[in-house]
Amino acid sequence: MRRTVLIVIAVIAGAIAGLVLLTRSGGDRGVVPGYLEADLVLVGSEKNGRIESLAVQEGDTVAKGDLVFTLESSEQEAELATRKARLAETEARLADARAALQRPREIEVLQSALVQAKAMQTKSQLNLDRIRSLYDKGWVSKAQLDDAVAQHDSNQAAVEEAKRRIEAAQLPGRSGVIEAAAAAVTEARSALDEARKSLAKRNVFAPVGGSVEEVYFRPGEVVNAGQAVVSLLPPGNLKVRFFVAETDRAALRTGETVAVSCDGCPSGLTATIRFISRDAEFTPPVIFSREQRKKLVFLVEARPDERTAELTAGQPVSVTLPRSPQASP
């Protein structure tokens, strides 16, 4: 759909300059041809992954905050469950630390946990080195590298935490043990919050309200982070584009209203000029004489009123320019 619109716009734009010159050289001297163009809002995800479901179809109308699509999230759900279990474990250890001092036998358990944490750290370091090498060659995405870095940092934190537990368990007083356990709880809660945010980002919502112009990917297809899945057209993002001759440009002002008409459209449509180009679309390769200046045309963009905004992108229109004071009888 979007490709068709762009082709139509290209064809119309290619003929506009000539039509302006023909129109302004005879016939209704206040009417110039134009067309409607859309500034689409492309909706994608901050994360890469496989599309699990699509909540909209082309032609649907969505409000800001409506669900657009979801990405497959089994890994994120598993990570969330792991983080919840980790938090429960640290909270239990904090409660145990507050109840009594660590016993010598428990120190042996902590030392075993430290050995295991160091093994995981070594494994994650090797994996990070491998992923970083593949990323430098362009074989893996930035998201995969970020995941490897996050896993390595998490394992490094686990080693440091295991060391702190052993140190706290060997302290003569209870306060150090409790502080270490409390720090572990804080860390676990932070990790749990991050896992929840990561899972929430698998659902993508409409950043603005508007109509669904095109769907680029379907359920089952894999998309990269930031890649557009759906394009939206907010009502205020439609604009009328037309070209005026060099003799008419100086008489136009932003904020002025122009009349818009098209085949089969209701009467009385208007648009407000928001932009007037400073550069000519066509420049003769010689010094500008009076006759050659007539070949210059300038782009003008106008925002349509509510009724004009119901028209479609790529639709050709006729624009009636406001009369200049010099043209008044």
Side-chain angles (χ1 to χ4, degrees):
M1 177 180 178
R2 187 184 181 199
R3 185 179 295 108
T4 302
V5 169
L6 293 176
I7 293 175
V8 172
I9 290 175
V11 172
I12 295 174
I16 283 293
L19 289 174
V20 169
L21 296 175
L22 290 174
T23 302
R24 300 300 288 156
S25 62
D28 189 348
R29 297 180 60 84
V31 180
V32 296
Y35 60 95
L36 276 86
E37 185 175 86
D39 291 329
L40 300 177
V41 176
L42 303 179
V43 182
S45 173
E46 297 180 29
K47 304 291 184 179
N48 62 331
R50 189 180 303 277
I51 298 177
E52 184 175 72
S53 63
L54 192 65
V56 298
Q57 297 179 355
E58 293 176 355
D60 288 350
T61 300
V62 298
K64 181 178 180 180
D66 286 351
L67 179 66
V68 177
F69 67 92
T70 61
L71 297 178
E72 196 277 331
S73 56
S74 59
E75 292 183 7
Q76 288 71 26
E77 291 171 353
E79 179 67 15
L80 179 61
T82 300
R83 296 302 181 185
K84 287 181 178 180
R86 177 62 177 164
L87 176 59
E89 177 188 355
T90 57
E91 288 176 338
R93 289 185 175 179
L94 176 59
D96 184 64
R98 287 171 174 169
L101 291 175
Q102 293 280 2
R103 294 179 293 276
R105 183 119 184 130
E106 293 175 341
I107 295 178
E108 296 179 3
V109 176
L110 293 176
Q111 290 173 336
S112 298
L114 176 59
V115 173
Q116 182 179 3
K118 287 182 176 179
M120 294 298 294
Q121 178 192 11
T122 301
K123 181 179 180 181
S124 62
Q125 180 64 59
L126 294 174
N127 182 61
L128 176 58
D129 293 340
R130 181 179 62 85
I131 293 296
R132 184 172 285 132
S133 175
L134 294 176
Y135 176 75
D136 292 339
K137 296 177 181 179
W139 293 350
V140 298
S141 66
K142 182 64 166 56
Q144 290 174 289
L145 176 60
D146 291 343
D147 290 342
V149 171
Q151 184 62 50
H152 174 266
D153 292 344
S154 177
N155 290 338
Q156 176 66 34
V159 170
E160 297 301 326
E161 180 186 346
K163 291 179 179 179
R164 289 195 301 268
R165 288 176 183 166
I166 294 175
E167 293 173 356
Q170 293 172 340
L171 293 176
R174 181 181 299 181
S175 60
V177 176
I178 295 176
E179 289 176 2
V185 170
T186 300
E187 180 183 352
R189 284 175 178 167
S190 177
L192 177 59
D193 289 340
E194 289 299 320
R196 284 173 174 162
K197 292 178 182 178
S198 179
L199 179 60
K201 289 181 179 180
R202 310 301 284 183
N203 296 321
V204 179
F205 302 91
V208 295
S211 61
V212 179
E213 291 298 296
E214 188 165 0
V215 176
Y216 304 112
F217 293 92
R218 303 289 174 176
E221 296 182 303
V222 177
V223 295
N224 295 323
Q227 193 169 15
V229 175
V230 171
S231 62
L232 301 179
L233 175 58
N237 283 29
L238 196 65
K239 57 189 176 185
V240 178
R241 304 185 94 214
F242 57 96
F243 294 80
V244 297
E246 184 265 345
T247 54
D248 292 322
R249 180 193 179 280
L252 295 180
R253 298 289 184 272
T254 57
E256 285 188 310
T257 299
V258 295
V260 179
S261 61
C262 56
D263 296 337
C265 298
S267 60
L269 303 180
T270 61
T272 303
I273 296 176
R274 298 300 185 192
F275 169 79
I276 302 175
S277 174
R278 295 177 179 270
D279 301 319
E281 297 295 321
F282 171 73
T283 304
V286 292
I287 298 175
F288 299 146
S289 67
R290 183 182 299 273
E291 292 301 320
Q292 289 157 348
R293 286 201 301 268
K294 294 180 180 179
K295 299 179 181 180
L296 301 177
V297 291
F298 294 82
L299 170 66
V300 180
E301 293 182 353
R303 289 295 179 186
D305 62 16
E306 293 183 359
R307 291 196 304 158
T308 311
E310 296 178 359
L311 305 181
T312 60
Q315 184 169 355
V317 297
S318 296
V319 179
T320 303
L321 303 179
R323 299 184 62 186
S324 63
Q326 294 80 358
S328 299

